[in-house]
């Protein structure tokens, strides 16, 4: 009896899911499956499937998958669909490959990956024993495929725990068995770094990716050096450290090229990094050239999709269609909901991007509501400072900016906090010459975050080259005569926008219709209007909706 996997997402019903990059599985010779010529592997697998010898077939898949994937991926997928699920319990690598390739939800991922004995991250004694044993390489492979399988499902927090275990096991094992571990460790570290980077640990990710890059000459796969550099550039750009991102992009360009099906997948994150570096540096032509290469991943790991969305949204903040970008973010937030968990890197970044776009359109209250969903995240604190500045509450903006200045989460947080502090002082004292302090100019140029300084009012361009570009949208316009509405007046306004009657609006809050009429009258007076339609239109003009 064969199994028929149920695919999780509509986009995956049309495409077979591949790993974003191929991890070199444990193909070391064994008494059961020594290294065989490719033709022999293919014939053995086909004969096993034809004879329904599932135990042999699953062992062949687990042992030789990474060798067959390039030219015989169809055969691998045929085997994964044909072999009954219970047989995968005998080979954790084959079970993980099944999960990665088919992305099934027929059973819980932990159960499907088998019962391999994996120590806890902090069990140093157990890790030390395994690192000295002949099973060290096998366990390194099992942990890696488990980690990747969890990551491609969007189970990032659990994947990050395995990434930390993988790093610790690899570091100990290479001391005791360098000849065995050295050729495999770079690939393992590459994927551990990717996992940590997607799991909101960018500083840890870049350190791990740096080690993978430095150890790449010992790797037998041939793609680690280029991929590690591209991923490090991507995560550095997300963190707002554009200077470091540029360094990693240069390393990526110098690394040996990669050909075949891996090439576009490795290039994707490097191109996202290029677009972010150019956009934040207000270099429109370079940003457009990089964005032209970007497309949403389909056959590759879906974790990168939100990165493409984020890059396009940042470009739209400076030069593009802000309303269209907001709709794009909301659409893709739903599309990638499985990968945009609270502990993911891109979730708060997309919130930050949407908030900035809303503020650029003067829609302060919607931005406030959006930011409340991530109130404690470091990136959101500085976004709240910008929102308060747009609303004219200089004291609140200064408080949020002061907290963000002490934040070590990212370079972007500190630069944007400095920009808010500067803008707050200038807006609070318009008689002062509106020239940004030299510290802001120096920091913005050094970090490549020129876009962040555009919230400074009346400042003019900070770089003479801006005069040769199309006008850059003011990301944080000052709202003229923005009326202060009470909580109940906002409640009435939003109910009106939804087409509710005053009675229906009041019923939600257990308030009488007469009470709601009183609040509606006060709302019309504050907005200077006389009808519901005029109130809604005026509220949109003022950024209240």
């Amino acid at each position: 009896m064969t199994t028929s996997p149920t695919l999780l997402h509509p986009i995956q019903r049309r495409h077979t899911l591949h790993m974003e990059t191929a991890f070199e599985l444990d193909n070391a010779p064994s008494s059961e499956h020594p290294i065989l010529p490719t033709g022999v592997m293919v014939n053995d697998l086909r004969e096993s499937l034809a004879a329904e010898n599932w135990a042999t077939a699953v062992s062949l898949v687990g042992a030789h998958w990474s060798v067959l994937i390039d030219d015989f991926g169809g055969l691998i997928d045929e085997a994964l669909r044909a072999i009954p699920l219970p047989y995968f319990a005998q080979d954790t690598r084959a079970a993980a490959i099944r999960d990665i390739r088919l992305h099934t939800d027929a059973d819980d991922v932990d159960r499907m990956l088998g019962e391999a004995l994996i120590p806890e991250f902090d069990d140093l004694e157990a890790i030390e024993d395994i690192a000295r044993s002949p099973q060290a390489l096998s366990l390194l492979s099992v942990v890696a495929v488990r980690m990747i399988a969890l990551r491609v499902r969007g189970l990032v927090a659990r994947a990050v725990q395995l990434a930390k275990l993988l790093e610790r096991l690899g570091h100990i094992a290479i001391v005791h068995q360098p000849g065995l571990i050295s050729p495999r460790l770079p690939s393992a570290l590459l994927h551990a770094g990717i996992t940590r980077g997607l799991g909101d640990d960018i500083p840890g990710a870049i350190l791990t990716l740096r080690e993978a890059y430095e150890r790449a000459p010992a790797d037998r796969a041939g793609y680690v050096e280029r991929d590690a550099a591209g991923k490090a550039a991507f995560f550095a750009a997300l963190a707002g450290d554009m200077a470091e991102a540029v360094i990693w992009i240069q390393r990526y360009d110098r690394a040996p090229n990669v050909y075949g099906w891996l090439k576009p997948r490795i290039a994707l994150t490097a191109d996202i990094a290029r677009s972010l570096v150019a956009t934040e540096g207000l270099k429109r032509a370079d940003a457009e050239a990089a964005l032209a290469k970007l497309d949403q991943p389909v056959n590759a790991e879906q974790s990168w999709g939100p990165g493409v969305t984020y890059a396009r949204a940042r470009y739209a903040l400076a030069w593009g269609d802000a309303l269209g970008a907001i709709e794009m973010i909301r659409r893709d937030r739903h599309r990638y909901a499985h990968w945009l968990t609270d502990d993911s890197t891109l979730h708060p970044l997309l919130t930050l991007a949407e908030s900035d776009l809303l503020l650029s359109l003067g829609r302060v209250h919607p931005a406030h509501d959006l930011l409340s969903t991530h109130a404690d995240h470091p990136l959101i604190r500085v976004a709240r400072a910008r929102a308060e500045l747009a609303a004219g509450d200089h004291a609140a903006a200064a408080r949020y900016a002061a907290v963000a200045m002490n934040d070590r989460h990212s370079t972007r947080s500190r630069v944007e906090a400095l920009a808010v502090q500067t803008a707050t002082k200038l807006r609070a004292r318009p008689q002062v010459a509106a020239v940004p302090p030299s510290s802001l100019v120096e920091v913005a140029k050094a970090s490549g975050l020129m876009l962040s300084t555009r919230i400074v009012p009346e400042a003019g361009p900070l770089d003479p080259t801006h005069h040769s570009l199309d006008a850059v949208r003011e990301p944080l316009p000052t709202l003229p005569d923005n009326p202060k509405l009470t909580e109940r007046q906002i409640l009435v306004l939003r109910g009106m926008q939804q087409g509710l009657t005053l009675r229906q609006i009041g019923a939600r809050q257990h308030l009488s219709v007469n009470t709601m009429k009183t609040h509606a009258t006060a709302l019309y007076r504050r907005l200077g209007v006389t009808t519901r339609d005029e109130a809604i239109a005026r509220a949109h003009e003022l950024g209240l909706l």
Side-chain angles (χ1 to χ4, degrees), residues 26-40:
D26 180 12
N27 288 316
S30 67
S31 58
E32 182 180 2
H33 285 294
I35 294 296
L36 302 172
T38 301
V40 176

Side-chain angles (χ1 to χ4, degrees), residues 286-317:
D286 292 345
E288 290 177 346
L291 284 170
K293 299 178 182 179
L294 298 184
D295 198 3
Q296 292 289 4
V298 176
N299 289 333
E301 185 175 332
Q302 301 297 297
S303 306
W304 308 116
V308 176
T309 304
Y310 178 70
R312 290 174 174 166
R314 293 302 289 178
Y315 176 88
L317 179 64

Side-chain angles (χ1 to χ4, degrees), residues 155-312:
L155 303 175
V156 181
R158 290 158 61 188
V160 167
Q161 292 303 311
L162 288 180
K164 294 177 180 178
L165 171 61
L166 185 67
E167 291 177 39
R168 176 162 288 180
L169 174 62
H171 289 151
I172 297 175
I174 200 169
V175 172
H176 299 299
Q177 305 185 68
L180 182 67
I181 301 299
S182 292
R184 306 300 181 90
L185 188 57
S187 294
L189 291 173
L190 168 66
H191 281 279
I194 291 171
T195 302
R196 294 182 73 164
L198 292 173
D200 205 20
D201 181 15
I202 289 181
I206 292 178
L207 286 175
T208 301
L209 290 168
R210 178 184 293 276
E211 184 179 357
Y213 175 84
E214 292 173 349
R215 290 185 180 273
D219 185 77
R220 64 183 196 174
Y223 63 84
V224 171
E225 183 177 349
R226 192 172 183 86
D227 201 12
K231 296 299 187 295
F234 171 76
F235 290 123
L238 290 186
D241 194 339
M242 299 304 164
E244 182 167 1
V246 168
I247 291 172
W248 281 110
I249 289 172
Q250 292 170 347
R251 290 170 177 164
Y252 171 89
D253 290 337
R254 292 195 301 265
N257 210 339
V258 176
Y259 300 95
W261 64 279
L262 278 177
K263 183 175 182 177
R265 299 182 188 181
I266 291 176
L268 175 63
T269 44
D271 288 333
I272 295 174
R274 293 182 204 275
S275 70
L276 288 172
V277 167
T279 297
E280 301 296 338
L282 295 179
K283 298 177 181 178
R284 183 171 186 176
D286 292 345
E288 290 177 346
L291 284 170
K293 299 178 182 179
L294 298 184
D295 198 3
Q296 292 289 4
V298 176
N299 289 333
E301 185 175 332
Q302 301 297 297
S303 306
W304 308 116
V308 176
T309 304
Y310 178 70
R312 290 174 174 166

Side-chain angles (χ1 to χ4, degrees), residues 16-279:
T16 302
L17 182 69
H18 294 272
M19 286 172 54
E20 184 274 336
T21 42
F23 180 78
E24 285 290 304
L25 298 181
D26 180 12
N27 288 316
S30 67
S31 58
E32 182 180 2
H33 285 294
I35 294 296
L36 302 172
T38 301
V40 176
M41 296 180 197
V42 171
N43 289 336
D44 286 354
L45 181 55
R46 284 176 174 161
E47 289 176 2
S48 299
L49 294 175
E52 297 188 356
N53 186 349
W54 307 126
T56 299
V58 78
S59 296
L60 287 167
V61 170
H64 304 304
W65 174 84
S66 63
V67 177
L68 300 176
I69 187 62
D70 280 343
D71 297 322
F72 298 96
L75 176 61
I76 291 291
D77 292 340
E78 177 188 344
L80 295 174
R81 291 187 175 93
I83 299 169
L85 183 61
Y87 285 88
F88 286 93
Q90 76 183 50
D91 193 312
T92 56
R93 289 170 299 173
I97 292 160
R98 179 181 184 271
D99 187 58
I100 294 167
R101 293 285 286 182
L102 304 183
H103 212 76
T104 60
D105 64 349
D107 42 70
D108 181 76
V109 67
D110 285 334
R111 182 161 55 86
M112 186 167 70
L113 291 179
E115 299 297 330
L117 186 61
I118 295 179
E120 296 296 328
F121 165 72
D122 56 357
D123 190 347
L124 293 178
E125 183 176 351
I127 295 174
E128 179 80 25
D129 288 343
I130 293 170
R132 292 174 176 270
S133 74
Q135 286 75 43
L137 184 59
S138 179
L139 185 63
L140 194 72
S141 176
V142 169
V143 173
V145 291
R146 275 178 174 267
M147 175 189 69
I148 296 169
L150 290 167
R151 189 181 77 214
V152 299
R153 278 178 171 266
L155 303 175
V156 181
R158 290 158 61 188
V160 167
Q161 292 303 311
L162 288 180
K164 294 177 180 178
L165 171 61
L166 185 67
E167 291 177 39
R168 176 162 288 180
L169 174 62
H171 289 151
I172 297 175
I174 200 169
V175 172
H176 299 299
Q177 305 185 68
L180 182 67
I181 301 299
S182 292
R184 306 300 181 90
L185 188 57
S187 294
L189 291 173
L190 168 66
H191 281 279
I194 291 171
T195 302
R196 294 182 73 164
L198 292 173
D200 205 20
D201 181 15
I202 289 181
I206 292 178
L207 286 175
T208 301
L209 290 168
R210 178 184 293 276
E211 184 179 357
Y213 175 84
E214 292 173 349
R215 290 185 180 273
D219 185 77
R220 64 183 196 174
Y223 63 84
V224 171
E225 183 177 349
R226 192 172 183 86
D227 201 12
K231 296 299 187 295
F234 171 76
F235 290 123
L238 290 186
D241 194 339
M242 299 304 164
E244 182 167 1
V246 168
I247 291 172
W248 281 110
I249 289 172
Q250 292 170 347
R251 290 170 177 164
Y252 171 89
D253 290 337
R254 292 195 301 265
N257 210 339
V258 176
Y259 300 95
W261 64 279
L262 278 177
K263 183 175 182 177
R265 299 182 188 181
I266 291 176
L268 175 63
T269 44
D271 288 333
I272 295 174
R274 293 182 204 275
S275 70
L276 288 172
V277 167
T279 297

Side-chain angles (χ1 to χ4, degrees), residues 492-534:
V492 171
L493 185 60
R494 291 177 178 171
M496 289 179 172
Q497 184 187 35
Q498 296 169 14
L500 302 178
T501 65
L502 292 178
R503 186 178 301 279
Q504 290 171 325
I505 298 170
R508 289 182 169 183
Q509 302 294 321
H510 307 288
L511 299 173
S512 70
V513 67
N514 288 331
T515 299
M516 302 315 295
K517 286 180 179 178
T518 300
H519 290 306
T521 299
L523 171 67
Y524 288 173
R525 186 168 56 251
R526 289 279 181 94
L527 295 179
V529 299
T530 57
T531 69
R532 172 188 290 247
D533 289 342
E534 289 176 353

